Amino acid sequence: MATLKDIAEKVGVSISTVSRVLNNDDSKIVNAVTKEKILTAAKELGYRTSGWSRRSVGDGGAKPVPNKRAGCIISLPQENYSYPYFSLVLKGIEKGLSDRGYSLAFIHTRDELRDPSVQEQIIQDSQVDGAVVIEGIDPPIYEALKKHIPTIVGVDVNDPTIPTVSYDRVSASQAAVRHLIGQGHRRIGFIGGLGLSGDMSREKRFRGYRYALLEAGIEPEEKWILNAEWQIETSFELMSRLVRESPAELPTAFFVASDVMAIAAMRAVTEVGLRVPEDIAFFGVDNIEISQYTSPPLSTIHVPKYEIGLTAAYLLSDYLDGRLSFPIKALLPYELKIRRSSTLPKP
């Protein structure tokens, strides 16, 4: 069955734009040409439309169809779906909701939620039964949503009052850095970004990195901790600056909080003639598909992205249908994928 992601890729727009068009959501203007392309692509791909406000594709009108509806809020800083982690989680959510007879009523990003008209549309007009929140959003907005949406399931959300799905990011990151230490590295840097707290020390992947260093008797070096703000371009720029300005004081390895940032940093290193892993080793997070095809292949933490989304959708339906009533915390397993970017060939 076609998904919102399939339509978005065919047309070349974001998933949330597709969601708004198929739900007649006018909180943001979508030009008529793009709207028509989305409706046509939905029809061609056989997207099953449903829900009280969703347009019946191909009939030119709005046709209310009784159905159970759920929304999704994703913590992206902008309409930017370049991170494969999120797209696979969303795919799992769509599949899980469909399996249980729910339609996905809307997808909104963190930045979109800061628009009062979008908040009003969700709270007053969406008429959803529940929602999945992927990572943290601004506390005042989150509290408002909790008051108006009956049931919320979180994906890596720190809220003990709701069911959540995640993997142990601290433990996984700690295991990855232990691997680097086991390869003989003592000068290990970190590339990541800040969470809602604005404090790097509270970010889970950074905590795992720091714990692994401290248990090995290594003090983290501040100048090797790079805040790339979760942006691919920023990771490349910061690494380029580091290798050009401080070539004599470089770490021998980096733990990077996402594969896409790791791949960008590796590119910066090789552009100045340094070798991976001989000069600087890299370990990423997510195990996106392209990570096994980089040169050299990227060592990474396999995160069960699709399964996280699927489990979140199943949990949401279990609560909405009365099968569960207390906030379950589901931790899915991770796996280290050890590849050439962090291991030297044996002599």
Side-chain angles (χ1 to χ4, degrees):
M1 185 184 73
T3 66
L4 296 177
K5 180 174 180 286
D6 296 329
I7 299 169
E9 289 178 346
K10 183 177 178 66
V11 179
V13 296
S14 73
I15 298 175
S16 60
T17 297
V18 173
S19 172
R20 285 197 298 273
V21 169
L22 296 184
N23 284 285
N24 293 332
D25 175 0
D26 296 324
S27 60
K28 284 195 174 183
I29 301 298
V30 179
N31 70 64
V33 174
T34 301
K35 187 177 296 186
E36 187 59 35
K37 286 181 179 179
I38 290 170
L39 296 173
T40 300
K43 184 177 181 180
E44 290 175 351
L45 293 172
Y47 182 77
R48 287 203 324 229
T49 59
S50 57
W52 71 276
S53 69
R54 179 168 286 166
R55 181 187 301 274
S56 177
V57 177
D59 67 4
K63 188 179 294 182
V65 179
N67 202 346
K68 298 181 289 185
R69 294 159 49 84
C72 182
I73 295 162
I74 180 169
S75 182
L76 282 173
Q78 55 193 1
E79 274 197 26
N80 178 356
Y81 293 91
S82 62
Y83 276 72
Y85 170 85
F86 290 109
S87 62
L88 281 172
V89 173
L90 285 170
K91 187 175 182 180
I93 290 171
E94 281 199 89
K95 178 62 166 61
L97 291 176
S98 175
D99 287 349
R100 296 293 178 85
Y102 284 81
S103 64
L104 186 55
F106 63 77
I107 300 172
H108 285 297
T109 65
R110 186 178 71 199
D111 277 3
E112 288 174 334
L113 281 183
R114 291 170 178 158
D115 183 336
S117 67
V118 174
Q119 293 180 44
E120 182 179 358
Q121 189 272 332
I122 292 174
I123 292 171
Q124 298 183 12
D125 303 330
S126 62
Q127 297 184 6
V128 293
D129 301 289
V132 177
V133 175
I134 304 176
E135 301 195 4
I137 56 178
D138 298 338
I141 298 174
Y142 178 62
E143 291 303 320
L145 290 174
K146 285 182 69 176
K147 290 179 182 178
H148 294 89
I149 296 180
T151 303
I152 290 178
V153 169
V155 172
D156 200 52
V157 170
N158 292 321
D159 182 351
T161 69
I162 66 169
T164 57
V165 184
S166 188
Y167 71 99
D168 192 334
R169 297 187 178 198
V170 175
S171 173
S173 302
Q174 194 168 5
V177 178
R178 282 173 178 163
H179 160 76
L180 293 172
I181 294 170
Q183 293 292 306
H185 296 287
R186 305 284 293 179
R187 298 156 60 92
I188 303 173
F190 175 85
I191 303 175
L194 305 179
L196 283 177
S197 68
D199 182 355
M200 183 71 81
S201 67
R202 296 181 61 182
E203 205 282 316
K204 292 177 181 177
R205 280 153 289 200
F206 177 80
R207 284 163 52 196
Y209 156 80
R210 186 171 181 273
Y211 292 162
L213 292 185
L214 293 178
E215 73 179 2
I218 303 170
E219 189 67 32
E221 181 65 56
E222 190 69 30
K223 64 185 175 184
W224 297 336
I225 297 171
L226 308 181
N227 175 18
E229 301 176 344
W230 304 109
Q231 297 300 310
I232 302 169
E233 298 83 359
T234 308
S235 178
F236 177 81
E237 290 166 3
L238 291 177
M239 181 59 71
S240 294
R241 186 182 309 156
L242 182 67
V243 296
R244 293 180 189 280
E245 294 180 358
S246 306
E249 299 179 0
L250 294 176
T252 61
F254 268 95
F255 173 63
V256 189
S258 78
D259 285 352
V260 290
M261 290 193 298
I263 292 168
M266 285 169 59
R267 169 70 180 274
V269 164
T270 58
E271 281 196 355
V272 297
L274 295 175
R275 300 165 300 165
V276 177
E278 289 84 356
D279 297 312
I280 302 179
F282 284 89
F283 209 111
V285 179
D286 289 340
N287 192 31
I288 62 175
E289 186 175 5
I290 194 65
S291 65
Q292 61 188 308
Y293 300 112
T294 58
S295 182
L298 177 65
S299 292
T300 184
I301 299 167
H302 172 70
V303 178
K305 301 167 282 294
Y306 177 81
E307 292 79 6
I308 284 174
L310 194 70
T311 302
Y314 286 165
L315 269 181
L316 182 63
S317 73
D318 284 342
Y319 282 89
L320 291 173
D321 297 341
R323 289 186 289 271
L324 291 172
S325 59
F326 55 93
I328 284 178
K329 310 299 177 187
L331 279 181
L332 275 60
Y334 62 85
E335 179 185 356
L336 297 189
K337 296 288 187 180
I338 308 301
R339 300 184 181 125
R340 278 275 293 113
S341 73
S342 68
T343 56
L344 289 169
K346 295 182 180 179

